[in-house]
Each structure stands twice: as C-alpha cells, then as structure tokens.
C-alpha cells in the first residue's frame, strides 16, 4: 500500500476519534459506560465512512518460479536404424533425461516424428517417411507464445514435405546429427541443360555444371558418349578454391530420330558415391524445314540481311513477299516477319489471327503506328513524328530462349520512332533501349505470347549494319 494512503488512514482515524470524543465528552463531567460505547460506535462509523472515501487498495505480490521449456524432437524414421544410429539416438535421449542440471533448469518435453509429430518419447524407428519441416511447423503452432529452444535429433534425411532449410521456425534449434560426418572427395554432375529437340544438320547446345567436394587438387575427364562413341571430351582440374565448372558446348545432329547420350565425369579412385557422376539424356532430331515469310511493302537492306542470317541454318528457307502476294500462301509458312507494317497489311493481320500464326514485327521510321496500335491488344506505342537512335543492351535474365550476348552494346544504334511502348500483358525483354549513356527499362526487342501464338517485336530498322560490323570484326 502506498505511504500516502497509509497517511490518509491515520489522519482519518484521528479525525473520527476527535469528532466522537467531542460529541460525547465535551461538557460532560464524567463518561458513563454507555457514553463510552456510543463514542466508540460513533468513532467506528465516522472512520468507516472516511475509509470508504479514501478507498485504500491492498496489494499482494506472489512470486512463482516457472522454468522455461526445452523441446526434444527425435527422428523416428527407419533410415536412422538403417544407418545403425538408433542406439546413439536412444542414448542421447537417455542422457538428456538423466541430466540433472538440464532437468533442474528446464521443463523438458519429448516428441518423436516421422511423417507427423507425436508427443511421445517412445522410439521404434519404424516410420517410413521423414518430414522435418512438418514437425517444426507443428511445434511452432504449439509453442508460438513460448520461448522453447529445441534439440533436434535426426539423420537429416528428409523424404517428404518442404525443404526444412527454409522453414520459418522461430525457436532456437540445436541439431544433433546422427551419421557419419566424414567428408569424402566427390565429383558430381549437378545440372545438365539441353533442348528436347534439334533439327537435322544443325547443332544443339548443351550446358552442364560439374561440382567438386574436397580440398585437394584433382583432375578428371568429362565425356559425352553416344552408342559407345565419345562425341565430346574435356579435362577439368579442380582445387579447394575452384570447386565447380560450367561447360557449354554444341553437338551435331546428323541422324533423324531419337539419339541417346550419356554425360559422365570420370570418378576418382577414392570416391564413395559414383551414382551422381553420370546423367543420361536424349535429343530428338527432326528432319523438317521451316518456311519463313518476310513481308514488306518496300525494299530495304534489312530484308536481305534477315534472309541471309536466317538461311545460314539449312533447316530454314526464307521468301520475301509484298503484302498482296502472301494472302493465298499464308498457310505455307511457319513464321511471318512483318517489316514496318502499314495499312496495306490489314488483311494479313486478320489472316494471322484467324490461322494463329507466329509473327515477328520489325518497326522503323516508316511504320504506321496508328494502324499497328489498332491491330494489337497487347501493346501500344506513343504516336510522335520524331525518330531516335537506340542501342541494344542485353538482358541477362531473359529466359524464354537460350540466347548468347553478342556484345549488342558495341553494335551501331537502330533508328526508330521516338516514344514508349506500353504492354498490357505479360512479356519478356531481350534487349533494352539505350539512349546515349542512359539505359532505360523500355524494350528494344521483346517477346510475348497471346492466345497460344508467339510474337516478337523489334523497335528499330537498319539491322543490316549489325551484320556488316560483325562481318568486319570477325
């Protein structure tokens, strides 16, 4: 009770006593027992009223010691027994149970888990699946308002559920790993990227990532074989600082049909795990020539450049047509390139939409953007009478196709209408516009897909200068 309240109570007692004595003692020569009783009752009444006015509060502070929780979650899956670690798990749990200092400091609660979490310390090591992430999520729900550090006893082999490495478990975790912690030398093919299809007499690209685990310097040979014949080979040296190698190469497609290959990194003599040293893959070679139409209402050096570049691959044939020449031949082509379209292309756009043909639009200084904006529901370009020169900046995050950076920034700029291109749907930029020294977020070359039809748009003419510069450079 506060000191101020105690002082008020004492003053109230004095005031009540003075008033009671004043009423029954003042001008009275002697106090009878009856007057003394009345004086006491008057004192009690006045003191009680004053006490109610003061309204004192009596507080009682009671302290209790509550020990924090310590959670012990034990992997009860069959893999622990197969590794011969079930005895170690049981001994670890028993050591925690018999540890006097831990039990004195914590309230220890025991759980076992396989596919689900169970509030029990009974271990059978018979669970067929292991879901560590689910066990941590269940503990998070149970102890979300408590501080509950967790001892996780497991072999780390998860066979079900989300990756526990990315779990949002908020309690501190102290893992006890069951198993052999010895690090062995290991070579592995971590990833292999290859297209499913290739055209006859063409070359298809392959990308593979080879990883080394160890601290020594080793040399091995990476090979790709087909029908017991080696079609690619390269020696690779790994060190403690150089633990991975990215290989990019091409293989010829010389035979129609499905061709099976085997990529392998030669195992080291001391390797324990040799399963991850090889990967099988297959590529289907197609003998199919692609016909491409380039439609333009006027002649331009870009047309010849496009034709020569495309036909450098023997599987492609290009035909240059005027707008009025393609109407009856549209179904003969797999791709239509529309060069600087204007009103003469109206029926072509109608037929392309009806036949769902893939298109590549190239705009420039003579493009009719009033017409082109009216034909597209995917994009719209600002209408201006000005033109500008733009260089291309390669987007390294482009993922629709595998494209090499050809040092686009060193190529001459392309001429195009000034203004921004706004998309109303999903698209991906291959080249960004660069104006002077400023790289913008505006696309110079972009690809997108609409209603199952793939389209691309290039905002610039004079691409023939790119081919000329590359010819002189190489």
């Amino acid at each position: 009770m506060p000191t101020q309240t105690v002082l008020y109570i004492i003053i109230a007692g004095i005031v009540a006593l003075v008033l009671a004595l004043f009423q029954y003692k003042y001008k009275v020569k002697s106090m009878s027992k009856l007057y003394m009783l009345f004086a006491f009752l008057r004192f009690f009444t006045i003191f009680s009223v004053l006490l109610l006015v003061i309204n004192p509060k009596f507080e009682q502070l009671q302290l209790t010691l509550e020990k924090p929780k310590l959670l012990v979650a034990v992997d009860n899956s069959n893999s622990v027994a197969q590794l011969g670690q079930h005895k170690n798990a049981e001994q670890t749990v028993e050591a925690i149970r018999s540890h006097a200092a831990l039990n004195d400091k914590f309230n220890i609660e025991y759980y076992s888990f396989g596919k689900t979490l169970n509030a029990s310390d009974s271990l059978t090591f018979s669970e067929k699946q292991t879901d560590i992430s689910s066990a941590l999520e269940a503990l998070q729900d149970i102890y979300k308002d408590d501080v509950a550090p967790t001892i996780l006893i497991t072999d780390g082999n998860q066979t079900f559920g989300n990756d526990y490495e990315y779990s949002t478990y908020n309690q501190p975790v102290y893992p006890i790993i069951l198993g052999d912690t010895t690090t062995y030398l290991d070579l592995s093919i971590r990833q292999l990227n290859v297209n499913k299809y290739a055209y006859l007499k063409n070359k298809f690209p392959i990308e593979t990532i080879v990883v080394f685990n160890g601290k020594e310097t080793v040399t091995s040979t990476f090979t790709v074989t087909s029908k017991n014949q080696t079609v690619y080979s390269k020696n690779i040296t790994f060190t403690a600082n150089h633990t991975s190698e990215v290989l990019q190469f091409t293989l010829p497609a010389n035979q129609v049909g499905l061709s099976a290959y085997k990529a392998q990194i030669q195992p080291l003599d001391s390797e324990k795990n040799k399963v991850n040293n090889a990967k099988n893959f297959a590529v289907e070679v197609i003998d199919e020539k692609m016909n491409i139409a380039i439609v333009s209402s006027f002649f331009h050096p870009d047309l010849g450049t496009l034709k020569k570049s495309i036909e450098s691959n023997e599987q492609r044939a290009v035909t240059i047509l005027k707008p009025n020449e393609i109407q009856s031949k549209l179904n003969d082509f797999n791709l239509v390139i529309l060069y600087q379209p204007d009103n003469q292309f109206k029926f072509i756009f109608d037929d392309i939409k009806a036949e769902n043909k893939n298109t590549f639009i190239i705009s420039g200084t003579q493009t009719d953007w009033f017409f082109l904006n009216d034909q597209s529901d995917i994009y719209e370009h600002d209408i201006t009478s000005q033109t500008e020169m733009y260089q291309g900046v390669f987007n390294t995050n482009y993922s629709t196709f595998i494209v090499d950076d050809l040092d686009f920034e060193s190529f001459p700029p392309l001429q195009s209408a000034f203004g921004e291109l706004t998309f109303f749907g999903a698209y991906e930029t291959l080249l960004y516009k660069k104006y002077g020294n400023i790289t913008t977020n505006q696309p110079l070359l972009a690809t997108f897909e609409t209603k199952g039809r793939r389209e691309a748009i290039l905002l610039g003419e004079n691409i023939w200068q790119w081919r000329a510069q590359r010819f002189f450079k190489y």
Side-chain angles (χ1 to χ4, degrees):
M1 185 183 298
T3 304
Q4 186 178 9
T5 304
V6 175
L7 182 60
Y8 287 156
I9 293 174
I10 294 173
I11 294 174
I14 295 172
V15 171
L17 181 62
V18 169
L19 291 175
L21 292 177
F22 176 76
Q23 290 180 351
Y24 289 97
K25 183 68 177 173
Y26 182 66
K27 295 182 180 181
V28 177
K29 295 181 178 180
S30 61
M31 287 285 289
S32 63
K33 292 182 179 180
L34 185 60
Y35 275 25
M36 292 178 64
L37 176 62
F38 289 158
F40 173 74
L41 292 175
R42 179 58 58 88
F43 163 77
F44 182 77
T45 301
I46 297 173
F47 181 72
S48 298
V49 172
L50 294 176
L51 201 61
L52 290 173
V53 173
I54 296 172
N55 190 24
K57 295 180 180 179
F58 297 91
E59 296 178 353
Q60 181 181 7
L61 180 62
Q62 184 176 0
L63 300 177
T64 58
L65 182 61
E66 182 177 351
K67 294 190 290 185
K69 293 180 176 62
L70 177 64
L71 311 181
V72 179
V74 188
D75 190 344
N76 197 32
S77 64
N78 186 252
S79 63
V80 176
Q82 288 181 344
L83 291 172
Q85 297 296 321
H86 57 289
K87 293 295 183 183
N88 289 337
E90 292 173 344
Q91 291 172 3
T92 302
V93 173
E94 185 59 33
I96 296 173
R97 192 190 309 278
S98 59
H99 197 287
L102 278 178
N103 285 271
D104 183 61
K105 187 174 182 179
F106 296 97
N107 283 328
I108 304 178
E109 299 183 8
Y110 296 88
Y111 293 87
S112 63
F113 64 90
K115 184 177 179 181
T116 59
L117 182 72
N118 301 300
S120 170
D121 60 352
S122 177
L123 300 175
T124 60
F125 303 105
S126 59
E127 296 279 350
K128 299 300 182 183
Q129 292 181 332
T130 305
D131 190 348
I132 299 176
S133 178
S134 177
L136 295 177
E137 289 175 1
L139 291 174
Q140 177 70 21
D141 292 338
I142 298 171
Y143 299 99
K144 60 183 177 181
D145 297 326
D146 299 320
V147 176
T150 304
I151 297 177
L152 182 64
I153 305 174
T154 179
D155 60 1
N157 294 322
Q158 177 166 303
T159 61
F160 190 79
N162 299 324
D163 191 343
Y164 60 86
E165 182 181 353
Y166 303 100
S167 174
T168 56
Y169 191 59
N170 295 328
Q171 306 289 355
V173 177
Y174 302 94
I176 297 177
I177 307 303
L178 304 170
D180 186 3
T181 59
T182 305
T183 301
Y184 296 95
L185 295 178
D186 184 64
L187 287 171
S188 64
I189 299 177
R190 178 65 57 84
Q191 189 170 344
L192 192 147
N193 301 321
V194 61
N195 295 330
K196 294 182 179 180
Y197 304 98
Y199 290 108
L200 184 64
K201 297 182 180 180
N202 200 355
K203 291 185 178 182
F204 57 92
I206 299 175
E207 180 183 66
T208 184
I209 302 174
V210 184
V211 178
F212 169 65
N213 183 25
K215 297 182 178 180
E216 301 178 8
T217 299
V218 299
T219 300
S220 184
T221 303
F222 175 83
T223 59
V224 178
T225 57
S226 178
K227 296 180 180 180
N228 297 323
Q229 292 184 350
T230 300
V231 295
Y232 179 82
S233 177
K234 183 177 181 180
N235 293 328
I236 309 175
T237 300
F238 296 98
T239 65
N241 296 324
H242 178 65
T243 58
S244 65
E245 182 84 11
V246 179
L247 301 178
Q248 295 177 330
F249 54 94
T250 59
L251 295 179
N254 296 325
Q255 184 176 354
V256 176
L258 191 66
S259 299
Y261 298 88
K262 182 178 182 179
Q264 183 177 19
I265 182 73
Q266 187 67 31
L268 303 173
D269 294 336
S270 58
E271 273 196 74
K272 298 292 184 181
N273 180 17
K274 299 180 181 180
V275 176
N276 57 8
N277 287 61
K279 283 185 181 291
N280 295 316
F281 65 97
V283 175
E284 185 175 355
V285 180
I286 303 172
D287 184 11
E288 181 180 341
K289 202 161 191 175
M290 179 178 289
N291 293 315
I292 300 170
I294 300 178
V295 184
S296 176
S297 59
F298 59 93
F299 294 107
H300 194 282
D302 285 352
L303 304 181
T305 295
L306 291 170
K307 180 177 174 64
K308 289 183 179 180
S309 297
I310 296 171
E311 289 185 342
S312 62
N313 186 319
E314 296 181 6
Q315 295 299 315
R316 302 177 187 134
V318 175
T319 304
I320 300 176
L321 300 170
K322 292 184 178 181
N324 59 354
E325 296 175 341
I326 193 175
Q327 187 169 13
S328 61
K329 305 176 182 178
L330 187 62
N331 288 329
D332 297 338
F333 300 100
N334 305 100
L335 172 68
V336 181
I337 300 176
L338 304 177
Y339 189 80
Q340 303 205 42
D342 52 24
N343 284 322
Q344 302 180 55
F345 289 68
K346 177 65 172 66
F347 71 91
I348 301 178
F349 277 92
D350 294 338
D351 292 344
I352 286 174
K353 293 175 183 178
E355 300 295 335
N356 212 34
K357 290 288 185 180
N358 297 328
T359 59
F360 181 16
I361 296 175
I362 300 177
S363 69
T365 58
Q366 300 185 48
T367 302
D368 186 347
W369 277 108
F370 287 102
F371 166 75
L372 201 53
N373 287 343
D374 188 54
Q375 295 299 315
S376 177
D377 298 328
I378 302 299
Y379 56 81
E380 183 177 272
H381 195 282
D382 293 342
I383 306 296
T384 64
S385 59
Q386 296 179 327
T387 61
E388 191 54 77
M389 306 293 288
Y390 297 105
Q391 282 186 302
V393 177
F394 181 67
N395 177 15
T396 56
N397 295 321
Y398 183 80
S399 60
T400 303
F401 305 104
I402 298 176
V403 181
D404 293 329
D405 185 0
L406 303 178
D407 194 17
F408 291 97
E409 293 187 56
S410 67
F411 289 168
L414 301 182
Q415 191 172 11
S416 179
F418 180 77
E420 292 188 358
L421 182 68
T422 303
F423 280 89
F424 305 115
Y427 72 99
E428 193 166 8
T429 300
L430 175 58
L431 296 178
Y432 290 108
K433 286 182 177 179
K434 184 177 181 181
Y435 175 71
N437 294 324
I438 301 174
T439 301
T440 70
N441 292 325
Q442 277 289 303
L444 180 66
L445 174 59
T447 59
F448 52 94
E449 189 171 338
T450 173
K451 298 178 181 179
R453 183 175 74 250
R454 288 184 173 181
E455 295 188 39
I457 184 167
L458 174 64
L459 303 176
E461 63 177 87
N462 296 328
I463 198 172
W464 65 270
Q465 297 179 4
W466 288 12
R467 180 176 173 85
Q469 175 167 321
R470 192 161 183 84
F471 175 80
F472 284 116
K473 186 174 181 179
Y474 295 99

